[in-house]
Amino acid sequence: MDTIYALSTAQGKAGVAVIRVSGPLAFDACRALAGDVPPPRIASLRDLRDGTGTRLDQALVLIFSENHSFTGESTVEFQTHGSTAVVAALLDALSGIDGLRAAEPGEFTRRALENGQLDLAQVEGLADLIDAETESQRRQALRVLSGDLGRRAETWRQSLIRAAALIEATIDFADEDVPVDVAPEVTALVEGVITDLTREIAGVGTAERIRSGFEVAIVGAPNVGKSTLLNALAGRDAAITSEYAGTTRDVIEVRMDLAGLPVTLLDTAGLRDTDDAVESIGIERARSRAALADLRVFLVEDGTSPEIPPEIDDIVLRAKGDRLTDPSDAISGKTGLGLSDLIARITRVLSARASNAGIATRNRHKQAMERGLAALEAALSLLPQGEDTAELAAEELRTAIRALDSLVGRIDIENVLDEIFASFCLGK
């Protein structure tokens, strides 16, 4: 196993930079640079010198023994001054030590997975935590990183192993009198896992939205004030506003944080019939994005109706409220009329949806649980048929166990590892 090193903090000038070394020669590297190996888990001040004895920096050195580090390997962290010159000099000194090489993206985390320090779901949670921009994303990622999904999967696994063992016992002793009918216990175990899986599968879509962001489309006819409203919500000129119809030709996106929820506002082209080929493409894109959005805000002229039928929770507001004598259900991006109420309504709707999020956060999790659920439903249908289908029922339970094992990376994960770790920085 190679010993790897990398800068674990962000590139560029900073107060402190952390350079991490992990592998069998990590302590040798520490000795070469710092002169000795400090006691484990005690921050120790050391002068760092290269192979020629030139002083590179004064740094805090932290030692983590094998099986007591993030990667599970012997690990050293050098906490240096964060200038680019110091970092470059230290990385150059490490490159000159035999047996050391620069880490690849995500290699520290990959080693943590391979050494049993993290399961695959926790690795995904760590990736999400690094990318988290809002409070809800942070909380969700932290739940996954802390192992909530893995513990839930282990509970399901133990229930199914128990159910399979009971069925196997009836097969092994088919020619003898089995004193207890195992069917009720097996059925209860399988039904319990089915209930849990059904609930978790239903919550994956919302959890994915928390990861990637909810989309809110502003929809309406040309010149109804959509771009002005977007700019008012964003607090900047994100979209061009004009008195001429058809100014917005493409979907304009603005990212926001609403009460800890990641939200992308979409300013769409005005919906109307037109002979302009380019504008027609924009209108078609507007209709498509509006249909896929989590929530739509319709702006309508006083006395008119939305061009697209609103769905449940969609918001319909009268446009250009600053020109109306009755401001009820009206909004004006120009004056700010109704702006705070709109933000509160959007937040309320999306917060209610976010409350239904489960602990599974990715489509990969959903697919694994769906495979397990299908196998369990098949097993449940076979149980009433007794000994004739016991072997088939046991095989369906084993299929379900394998599907749930893939959730945490026990099996069938090689095809997703490269994609996951490619998103990590070098120091992770």
Side-chain angles (χ1 to χ4, degrees):
M1 177 71 72
D2 293 338
T3 298
I4 58 175
Y5 64 87
L7 173 67
S8 290
T9 44
Q11 296 281 351
K13 187 185 297 183
V16 175
V18 176
I19 295 174
R20 180 186 290 174
V21 184
S22 179
L25 299 179
F27 290 176
D28 291 338
C30 179
R31 195 173 290 107
L33 293 175
D36 67 348
V37 179
R41 294 176 177 269
I42 297 177
S44 304
L45 188 63
R46 294 290 187 274
D47 285 337
L48 304 183
R49 301 179 182 275
D50 64 14
T52 66
T54 301
R55 187 169 181 260
L56 303 177
D57 192 24
Q58 189 175 61
L60 287 177
V61 180
L62 275 169
I63 297 297
F64 301 91
S65 302
E66 187 175 351
N67 297 322
H68 293 86
S69 69
F70 173 73
T71 61
E73 303 170 338
S74 299
T75 300
V76 181
E77 289 187 0
F78 298 104
Q79 299 184 9
T80 70
H81 294 94
S83 77
T84 54
V86 169
V87 170
L90 186 52
L91 292 176
D92 183 62
L94 287 169
S95 70
I97 299 176
D98 289 340
L100 271 65
R101 64 168 175 83
E104 298 175 357
E107 191 168 3
F108 287 94
T109 307
R110 189 161 191 156
R111 291 190 177 194
L113 173 67
E114 293 169 347
N115 294 327
Q117 301 298 110
L118 299 174
D119 63 39
L120 184 57
Q122 288 177 292
V123 169
E124 292 167 325
L126 177 58
D128 291 341
L129 186 61
I130 292 171
D131 291 336
E133 297 176 341
T134 70
E135 179 63 15
S136 61
Q137 290 174 325
R138 182 194 67 80
R139 290 196 305 265
Q140 178 171 276
L142 205 56
R143 286 179 62 194
V144 180
L145 176 59
S146 65
D148 282 5
L149 182 56
R151 285 188 288 272
R152 184 69 61 85
E154 182 60 26
T155 298
W156 296 332
R157 186 174 188 270
Q158 293 303 319
S159 294
L160 297 182
I161 288 175
R162 169 67 177 170
L166 291 170
I167 294 178
E168 297 282 1
T170 65
I171 297 172
D172 292 341
F173 298 98
D175 297 331
E176 303 177 24
D177 291 332
V178 180
V180 178
D181 180 10
V182 301
E185 183 177 355
V186 172
T187 299
L189 289 168
V190 172
E191 288 179 342
V193 177
I194 286 176
T195 299
D196 286 349
L197 288 178
T198 301
R199 182 173 58 251
E200 286 301 327
I201 289 170
V204 170
T206 301
E208 280 192 308
R209 274 312 197 198
I210 292 175
R211 286 182 57 241
S212 61
F214 292 94
E215 289 192 347
V216 177
I218 303 174
V219 185
N223 281 349
V224 80
K226 300 184 301 299
S227 297
T228 302
L229 176 59
L230 177 76
N231 290 340
L233 290 169
R236 60 185 175 88
D237 290 336
I240 299 173
T241 59
S242 168
E243 62 183 286
Y244 299 106
T247 301
T248 302
R249 298 296 183 95
D250 206 348
V251 177
I252 298 172
E253 302 183 4
V254 173
R255 188 85 165 182
M256 294 184 68
D257 180 339
L258 295 184
L261 293 173
V263 177
T264 299
L265 296 175
L266 309 176
D267 177 21
T268 60
L271 303 182
R272 67 168 180 167
D273 294 328
T274 179
D275 295 327
D276 187 309
V278 176
E279 186 182 355
S280 295
I281 294 173
I283 292 172
E284 183 56 36
R285 289 182 178 178
R287 291 182 180 275
S288 176
R289 289 298 294 274
L292 295 174
D294 301 285
L295 183 66
R296 283 149 292 278
V297 177
F298 290 95
L299 296 186
V300 298
E301 295 282 4
D302 198 24
T304 65
S305 301
E307 294 78 3
I308 301 173
E311 299 179 8
I312 295 175
D313 291 333
D314 282 350
I315 300 170
V316 180
L317 297 171
R318 294 188 297 154
K320 302 176 182 178
D322 54 300
R323 302 180 184 178
L324 303 176
T325 55
D326 178 12
S328 60
D329 292 326
I331 194 165
S332 171
K334 183 179 293 186
T335 65
L337 171 69
L339 211 61
S340 59
D341 289 340
L342 174 59
I343 293 174
R345 290 179 67 179
I346 293 173
T347 302
R348 187 163 57 249
V349 171
L350 297 183
S351 295
R353 295 184 187 181
S355 65
N356 296 322
I359 56 174
T361 60
R362 295 175 179 247
N363 192 51
R364 182 187 74 81
H365 303 160
K366 181 180 180 182
Q367 292 174 347
M369 291 188 295
E370 286 176 338
R371 292 196 305 271
L373 180 62
L376 292 179
E377 289 175 339
L380 200 60
S381 68
L382 292 168
L383 288 175
Q385 301 177 42
E387 296 178 3
D388 294 339
T389 59
E391 291 187 9
L392 295 176
E395 181 56 33
E396 293 291 356
L397 290 179
R398 287 191 288 270
T399 298
I401 292 170
R402 288 193 294 271
L404 297 179
D405 279 348
S406 69
L407 269 177
V408 294
R410 283 195 178 94
I411 62 169
D412 192 29
I413 61 169
E414 289 302 322
N415 59 328
V416 300
L417 287 183
D418 290 339
E419 179 181 348
I420 291 172
F421 290 116
S423 67
F424 280 78
C425 61
L426 292 176
K428 275 294 181 181

